[in-house]
Amino acid sequence: MSVAAGTIDRRAPAEASRAGERRRRFTLALAGFLGLLLVLAVAEIMIDGSAGRSALIPKAPSISKWLGAIGEPLGYRVFLIALLTFTGAYAALAVMARQLPSRFVIALIAALHLIVFIGPILLSTDVFSYIAYARMGVVHGINPYIHGPIAIKYDPVFPYQGQSWLKTATAYGPLYTLLSYPLAPLGVVGALWGFKLEALLASAATLVLTWRVAARRGLNPTPALLLVGANPLYIIYGLAGAHNDVIMTAFLMGAVALALSGRDSWSGASVIAGTLVKATSAAMLPFMIVGRRRVGTITGALAALLAGALVGYVAFGIHGLDIVAALNRDAAFVSSDSFPTELAHLIGKPGVYPVDHTFLKAALAVVLVYLLWRTWRGYDWIAASGWALLAIAVTASWLLAWYTLWALPLAVVVRDRRLLIATLAVQGLFIIHQAAPLIAPVQ
Amino acid sequence: MNDRERTDPQGEGTDPGREHTNLRLVETTLLVVIAVVLAAATINDLARQVHVNHRLAADMRTWRAITGHNYVNLDVEEDLKHFTTRDVICGNTAPGAPGARPQVCLIAIGPIRGGRRHVEGGFYMPPELADDAYHRYACFGSALLHHWCLLKYVPRGYPDAPLVGG
């Protein structure tokens, strides 16, 4: 407040207030523009993805043909431009996230979810494997933990299977397989919508829990919500592929929320439920036990494990419980997007060899032991869980975009910002690695 | 509520002071080093993939020039067994959906010159079949020398004219 000749100048605060208002309006206008870019980018992918045959769209029954009427088949160039536009706008929104109204962020995320929900399945045949495993059990009476989809080669879902997975038995937990069973009798298209709805609801649960945990920990929940719910890999790869990783993150965030509200038994049980969807979730349990030091966590986890094992055994026999074997099998796969493959190329090797897997497992074990020690010494167990999940993704020789999502909801609810920066950096590198067809198209 | 929770109601951990600061510094340094290495590996791999894409584009141009067909949907197989730059490019011998007509495949080797690569041989395959020695027929050039074709007859009405090294 300025004082001149004994009188109070009331213009200065008024001007400051006007400047503040102008800045607020500019921020809102910019955010609106960036939000529009996100919506347009994902809409472009979905419209072109519905328009016909594309290498980026798995062979699928037509569920969104009406959308494709105004588009043309999705090519790498358009997809990558849309992905990079989305990523750039997301990064800019993330920077200004603290100043954004929560209603704007919720509306934006809802719009993105709606567009993805009505669009085609993107970039992966996994959802058709989920349907095949469900139909194997329900329609054909075949154990999906023993046989791959090749066992139902005359089923209507068979033509949509990924060629690499025809002989592969399910690697998912018995809880997920049982959750998918009610969708099997709906036919391929009905089941596809069912899995899309399942992913949508799981995403909504993940986001609500992320909001609540962030608020409970005294963090601004709006940026946390934005960083997860408008994340390019979360929307375009995870949700648009109806991947069960979103269900896994819902259970993990449920476990965190329950732990913070003192319901330790349920919290431990929730981690096990996540593990019975996708085994990677188990990585959270040791940190929860060491960080919380509550008997309830262990008893809850044990009770859930016992119940899950019993149900799994009754439903699928001993094979339904052998998640470790499935993990070991998957750990031996190699994808061109994985960091171990990139590192192998960097040092002049053609790819990852079996001996490298031993080295990678050892490196991961060292990281996990160190994180446990840090948690024992007082480090935030939620952050440690996030680091563990990120380390699993980075050391995996089989890395898919949705694996980089495991740590994300945890990263936005911890005060150690390094986890969020590291998670987003890993995602950024993944996206950069996709850009080759944009620089040098093959045609 | 136990002692731990009283001092840490939001479960954020209770890292002690000085030791914590030193550890954090070491951890952050290590993370930065890992980030630099991963970034270098990613950029290197991107550059490598761009280089491969240039080669694959040259393969396709070569196939179109030799066969005289200006088809877009061609299948290029890299040599992922021995990691050489020998590529096999396959495409339809007549207009149709990808793979729906008899396939003519060419074996491209060497560097790109004038936007194309040298073709040392090739073979034919019936439609809708995976590239397998038992499905290949009418080998020519290096494919003939190395016995790439185990289908000993030409299916009736299918093309079989050698395109190089006849």
Side-chain angles (χ1 to χ4, degrees), chain A residues 294 345 370 374 377-378 433, chain B residues 5 11 13-14 19 27 42 45:
Chain A
R294 307 292 285 268
H345 290 161
Y370 176 73
R374 284 281 272 128
R377 300 272 298 166
H433 193 243
Chain B
E5 243 179 75
T14 52
E19 186 192 358
E27 286 170 353
T42 302
D45 215 42

Side-chain angles (χ1 to χ4, degrees), chain A residues 8-286:
Chain A
I8 296 173
D9 184 355
R10 294 183 191 282
R11 281 175 302 178
E15 263 175 34
S17 163
R18 274 199 297 276
E21 180 62 20
R22 274 200 302 272
R23 206 166 36 242
R24 198 182 68 82
R25 281 188 187 169
F26 174 75
T27 303
L28 276 180
L30 184 60
F33 171 71
L34 293 168
L36 189 64
L37 278 183
L38 291 189
V39 169
L40 290 176
V42 81
E44 172 66 27
I45 291 172
M46 290 298 163
I47 289 169
D48 280 1
S50 305
R53 201 174 168 132
S54 159
L56 293 155
I57 308 293
K59 187 179 176 190
S62 180
I63 57 168
S64 55
K65 206 171 182 177
W66 60 277
L67 260 180
I70 51 171
E72 51 188 58
L74 184 63
Y76 278 103
R77 192 177 172 79
V78 168
F79 173 76
L80 288 169
I81 289 171
L83 177 65
L84 293 175
T85 304
F86 193 114
T87 306
Y90 166 80
L93 277 172
V95 169
M96 58 171 72
R98 285 173 190 281
Q99 302 157 53
L100 299 178
S102 53
R103 272 186 297 186
F104 167 80
V105 171
I106 292 168
L108 174 63
I109 291 171
L112 295 173
H113 276 60
L114 181 67
I115 296 168
V116 164
F117 181 71
I118 60 174
I121 293 291
L122 294 184
L123 301 157
S124 163
T125 56
D126 281 7
V127 71
F128 296 105
S129 296
Y130 305 162
I131 298 174
Y133 295 134
R135 288 182 66 80
M136 282 167 71
V138 175
V139 180
H140 303 279
I142 295 171
N143 190 338
Y145 287 89
I146 299 178
H147 301 283
I150 191 85
I152 55 163
K153 64 194 298 186
Y154 299 110
D155 189 275
V157 79
F158 187 75
Y160 308 117
Q161 300 304 302
Q163 290 300 308
S164 309
W165 310 112
L166 292 179
K167 293 177 182 169
T168 309
T170 181
Y172 309 115
L175 176 62
Y176 181 70
T177 306
L178 288 174
L179 275 175
S180 68
Y181 270 20
L183 303 175
L186 303 177
V188 177
V189 174
L192 186 54
W193 281 113
F195 278 100
K196 279 173 81 76
L197 185 64
E198 205 175 75
L200 184 78
L201 295 176
S203 174
T206 301
L207 295 174
V208 167
L209 290 164
T210 301
W211 175 282
R212 289 181 63 169
V213 170
R216 168 139 191 125
R217 301 194 105 192
L219 299 166
N220 184 345
T222 306
L225 187 69
L226 177 88
L227 285 164
V228 179
N231 182 278
L233 297 188
Y234 187 88
I235 294 290
I236 297 172
Y237 285 79
L239 196 62
H243 288 285
N244 57 13
D245 303 71
V246 192
I247 300 175
M248 167 188 153
T249 56
F251 277 116
L252 290 183
M253 291 314 288
V256 172
L258 287 163
L260 295 185
S261 60
R263 283 174 279 184
D264 289 285
S265 302
W266 287 107
S267 167
S270 186
V271 177
I272 295 299
T275 305
L276 295 173
V277 169
K278 202 155 191 171
T280 323
S281 304
M284 177 181 269
L285 192 61

